[in-house]
Amino acid sequence: MPADLRRIAHEALSLSEAPYLKHYHRGRFRTWNGVAMTGSELPGPGFNFAACLTDTPPLDEILPVAREFFADADQGWGVLVEGDAGHPVEVELRARGWQVAEDEPAFVMPSLSGSPPRFGEGPGEGSSHHLTPRPPSLRGKGELSIRPILSEEDWRTFQRVTSAAYGSPPELADLFLPSLAYFRDPAMFWVVADWSGEPVAAGGYYRIGPTAVVGGLATLEEHRGKGIGMAIVRALLADAAAKGCASACLRSG
């Protein structure tokens, strides 16, 4: 990956404090000697990790600090490195038999200057989006509209759609999406997509410095292949560009 893309990905996905953390009871972030530690009550090493992506101390110095930071991560934590990049910590981890828990690509859009225009604006910045006229990439008979999460009903709709799309239990949705304040955070923007009036997809982004981190993308199985996910991404990137973001990353877990 070119150095500029690597820098964007590292800063936005791992080395900076994400705005959603403050909405979790145990959300926390700490940097220590080049190691960025992110933790919360969300399960597993995908959400509780020590990122070693720059010059850091040796693993034996990192582990005691990380173990203290992640003391209440009862479903595990991990050390994040850039795969096969030759970082000394990665070499040490492999030599000691640590296993890969997740292997995720990082997708980066270095410039949003060419993002498509917004698909219609309602009153207030980012208050509503309706895809009209119909984007040419959509397939199938139906009308698509994309709307932001503004009410408790919207919040619950987002939870229902994402839970069904991911095949996850409702209690996990409550853990990931804890309150309406989460959706109203000015550093984040979340939407539901309706197909002919039926909620069928969802997604959003949060801002880290000049970068929009797109994630939470989910489409109900019976509505996949219509281009709805792409339409959501286009709308999110247009909103991010209008709010001053210069680049974007995609969380691909």
Side-chain angles (χ1 to χ4, degrees):
M1 179 183 291
D4 57 335
L5 301 186
R6 178 181 287 109
R7 176 185 55 79
I8 292 171
H10 287 179
E11 287 294 331
L13 298 176
S14 307
L15 297 181
S16 301
E17 182 172 2
Y20 61 76
L21 281 176
K22 62 178 174 288
H23 297 283
Y24 298 131
H25 296 302
R26 301 205 307 263
R28 59 208 182 278
F29 181 83
R30 180 188 176 190
T31 56
W32 174 83
N33 289 350
V35 180
M37 291 174 281
T38 297
S40 72
E41 61 266 35
L42 299 181
F47 300 97
N48 299 272
F49 58 87
C52 298
L53 299 168
T54 60
D55 292 333
T56 66
L59 185 60
D60 281 334
E61 295 181 28
I62 295 171
L63 289 179
V65 179
R67 289 187 179 114
E68 180 179 359
F69 183 84
F70 297 112
D72 58 357
D74 49 12
Q75 296 192 52
W77 59 276
V79 177
L80 184 146
V81 296
E82 183 180 356
D84 301 318
H87 194 289
V89 167
E90 181 188 16
V91 175
E92 291 182 274
L93 291 168
R94 291 187 181 277
R96 299 185 190 193
W98 284 53
Q99 300 298 308
V100 176
E102 293 182 321
D103 190 2
E104 300 177 359
F107 296 95
V108 179
M109 181 177 285
S111 174
L112 295 186
S113 60
S115 294
R118 288 180 157 195
F119 296 99
E121 299 181 23
E125 183 183 38
S127 64
S128 67
H129 293 266
H130 298 282
L131 295 186
T132 178
R134 176 186 179 86
S137 59
L138 286 174
R139 296 175 289 279
K141 295 181 179 180
E143 181 179 349
L144 180 68
S145 65
I146 297 177
R147 53 190 171 89
I149 306 302
L150 298 176
S151 67
E152 184 166 342
E153 182 179 358
D154 294 333
W155 163 30
R156 296 305 181 187
T157 298
F158 189 102
Q159 287 185 314
R160 287 195 302 272
V161 169
T162 54
S163 291
Y166 293 138
S168 59
E171 57 268 23
L172 193 58
D174 288 336
L175 187 65
F176 274 85
L177 310 167
S179 68
L180 185 57
Y182 177 101
F183 291 97
R184 289 179 170 174
D185 190 311
M188 302 196 287
F189 184 66
W190 302 94
V191 301
V192 167
D194 295 324
W195 183 259
S196 297
E198 176 190 358
V200 300
Y205 76 89
Y206 59 85
R207 296 196 299 276
I208 296 288
T211 302
V213 181
V214 177
L217 297 170
T219 303
L220 298 181
E221 185 173 4
E222 60 270 27
H223 291 279
R224 294 171 189 167
K226 296 177 179 178
I228 295 174
M230 178 61 71
I232 290 177
V233 172
R234 286 169 58 89
L236 294 176
L237 294 181
D239 185 88
K243 292 176 179 175
C245 290
S247 57
C249 284
L250 174 66
R251 292 192 64 93
S252 58

